Amino acid sequence: MQTKYTALLESYQLPNGIEIKNRMMMAPMTNYSSNPDGTVTDAEVAYYARRAKGVGAVITAVANITPGGKGFPGEIGCDRDELIPSLAQLAKSIKSQGAKAILQIFHAGRMSPSDQVPDGDVTAPSNIPAERAGTLGVVPRELTETGIEEIIEAFGQATRRAIEAGFDGVEIHGANGYLIQQFFSPHANRREDQYGGNIEKRMTFPLAVIDNVQHAVKEYANAPFIVGYRFSPEEPETPGITMGDTLQLVHVLSDRGLDYLHVSLQHFWSKARREADTSRTRIELLLETINKRVPLVGVGSLYTADDVAEAMKTGIEFIGLGRELLIDPEWVQKIESGNEADINTTLDLNGKEALDFPDPFWKVITSVPGWVPGVE
Ligand SMILES: Cc1cc2nc3c(=O)[nH]c(=O)nc-3n(C[C@H](O)[C@H](O)[C@H](O)COP(=O)(O)O)c2cc1C
């Protein structure tokens, strides 16, 4: 291994004492390949086992914590106890390869397709539809306070199931426009009760979810258990979350006893869009605000070993690899063995079997031009 990559392969001890063997994590990626009842398929398990050999931790595709929170067909479920054996199969397949297994958990809120949730009942903080293709026009039902409390509780229950299934941790998905982000967003959240209004009130729901998840860990885990939180830094809509809002949220999150924060980005080096110094990268601003209180995971279009080595120079603790591991499951091992020049950076369109892709996932990623490099 070349010395310039040593930093990537150093272990790191999370605040709760758990050691992650290196600085690369598999980024969460929905794979559309679970059974309709939310159980994992053998092909999905094989896909994860293949990619869990090199990285320090695998963050799974997102799993829904209630039936009404489902966001995609073929999603992993963690909304009822009968799914625990299936979740256990997934956790074991990841851990047996040496990576920590982290289950990403969410409720899709207004981003749920109506045909994926019982009675087509799409819910959200307010009855404002998402301005995104695919969901455009679905007017969600505004959640009642009781409905909100039930969802907060469901995050704790999902955490208990992850613990019982043998996962090493959960990542709370507060990013990419789903329910937790919707509560923080002045676009999606027009409430005037304790869950909406000024920025502090818009933090009420995300913080209540974190509390409930941490409470479940205290109650049910008999060994340290990782709790991470993922967020998206900015929304394009007006009104919408600004970089200024996110820095305030991150300032609060940094003191909440989390094991890591994870910023969701398409491009690691992207700059702030508004309400912050727009000449600086989001990563720089986040690292400055966090000020080493909690480790940060960064991600986004870092395809080569040099891309990641350069990103690590910012002082960030972890790098998430998403599409990179779809394209090349041996990404990390190639650096370890000094063969980083052989890392593939475009998808081999004949590689479905060789790369251990489940059919539904392969169909999705090869049908969207430009989503994964190599797919035109
Ligand atoms: C096929 C696919 C599915 C994704 N699903 C999720 C998801 O379930 N949860 C999530 O937080 N991000 C999801 N993402 C975003 C990735 O975690 C990551 O932030 C993004 O792909 C940029 O990183 P990359 O350039 O390393 O791929 C997904 C991305 C892809 C390509």
Side-chain angles (χ1 to χ4, degrees):
M1 192 221 343
Q2 293 199 46
T3 47
K4 63 178 172 177
Y5 304 129
T6 320
L8 281 56
L9 295 167
E10 267 170 18
S11 67
Y12 186 94
Q13 198 179 44
L14 294 176
N16 69 3
I18 290 186
E19 188 149 308
I20 307 288
K21 72 176 180 193
N22 63 40
R23 305 308 183 92
M24 270 81 61
M25 295 188 177
M26 180 169 170
M29 282 179 289
T30 290
N31 59 45
Y32 312 89
S33 302
S34 300
N35 292 307
D37 66 357
T39 52
V40 294
T41 56
D42 290 343
E44 193 178 6
V45 168
Y47 153 87
Y48 277 109
R50 176 73 185 278
R51 288 164 176 82
K53 285 195 182 79
V55 289
V58 169
I59 306 164
T60 67
V62 76
N64 53 296
I65 55 131
T66 63
K70 194 169 174 188
F72 304 91
E75 191 164 275
I76 301 171
C78 65
D79 56 321
R80 49 196 204 283
D81 283 4
E82 68 196 63
L83 293 173
I84 294 172
S86 158
L87 291 168
Q89 195 192 346
L90 180 59
K92 194 173 155 202
S93 76
I94 296 170
K95 293 185 353 172
S96 65
Q97 304 300 318
K100 299 293 178 199
I102 300 176
L103 183 71
Q104 195 187 46
I105 54 175
F106 90 149
H107 183 297
R110 67 180 183 172
M111 299 287 285
S112 289
S114 46
D115 63 356
Q116 293 298 317
V117 292
D119 306 321
D121 187 25
V122 176
T123 56
S126 303
N127 59 356
I128 312 287
E131 292 179 20
R132 284 203 193 182
T135 51
L136 206 64
V138 178
V139 179
R141 177 175 64 81
E142 178 174 310
L143 284 161
T144 60
E145 285 204 30
T146 313
I148 295 173
E149 284 159 16
E150 283 168 5
I151 291 173
I152 293 170
E153 180 55 30
F155 272 98
Q157 289 301 317
T159 304
R160 172 182 58 76
R161 291 180 197 114
I163 293 166
E164 290 177 9
F167 275 92
D168 297 294
V170 291
E171 178 173 282
I172 301 168
H173 191 358
N176 301 359
Y178 299 112
L179 187 72
I180 296 178
Q181 180 176 327
Q182 289 162 31
F183 271 95
F184 186 55
S185 164
H187 184 278
N189 184 351
R190 312 285 169 102
R191 301 179 74 93
E192 290 174 356
D193 59 6
Q194 55 168 318
Y195 294 105
N198 62 23
I199 186 161
E200 281 78 24
K201 287 182 149 181
R202 284 186 281 112
M203 286 186 206
T204 308
F205 181 80
L207 296 179
V209 168
I210 294 171
D211 285 350
N212 211 279
V213 165
Q214 290 176 328
H215 183 75
V217 172
K218 275 204 192 83
E219 199 160 326
Y220 300 108
N222 46 26
F225 186 81
I226 301 164
V227 179
Y229 185 98
R230 193 172 212 214
F231 60 93
S232 289
E234 298 190 71
E235 290 180 334
E237 297 92 0
T238 305
I241 297 170
T242 66
M243 196 66 211
D245 291 338
T246 291
L247 293 178
Q248 287 188 62
L249 174 67
V250 161
H251 179 60
V252 172
L253 293 180
S254 299
D255 290 328
R256 299 300 282 210
L258 291 160
D259 294 298
Y260 69 85
L261 296 178
H262 186 175
V263 58
S264 179
L265 291 171
Q266 275 302 309
H267 296 282
F268 183 88
W269 299 105
S270 62
K271 291 189 172 153
R273 188 184 280 142
R274 55 184 169 170
E275 277 192 28
D277 184 345
T278 53
S279 69
R280 300 179 69 194
T281 67
R282 289 158 165 164
I283 293 286
E284 242 186 299
L285 294 164
L286 289 166
L287 287 171
E288 186 176 273
T289 299
I290 296 169
N291 196 17
K292 302 269 175 215
R293 285 177 289 171
V294 60
L296 180 66
V297 185
V299 68
S301 305
L302 302 171
Y303 288 101
T304 66
D306 282 342
D307 289 346
V308 171
E310 203 53 36
M312 290 289 294
K313 286 187 192 157
T314 59
I316 200 154
E317 288 82 0
F318 291 102
I319 297 295
L321 298 173
R323 291 165 295 179
E324 297 78 2
L325 287 181
L326 299 183
I327 296 168
D328 195 338
E330 279 74 45
W331 199 100
V332 177
Q333 295 92 307
K334 285 183 180 171
I335 297 183
E336 283 171 334
S337 60
N339 294 316
E340 63 283 344
D342 296 340
I343 289 176
N344 297 321
T345 54
T346 53
L347 188 68
D348 173 3
L349 294 177
N350 299 313
K352 180 185 161 290
E353 271 81 34
L355 294 168
D356 279 316
F357 270 95
D359 285 337
F361 194 23
W362 182 257
K363 283 199 183 94
V364 173
I365 58 161
T366 54
S367 66
V368 185
W371 195 11
V372 176
V375 182
E376 309 306 335

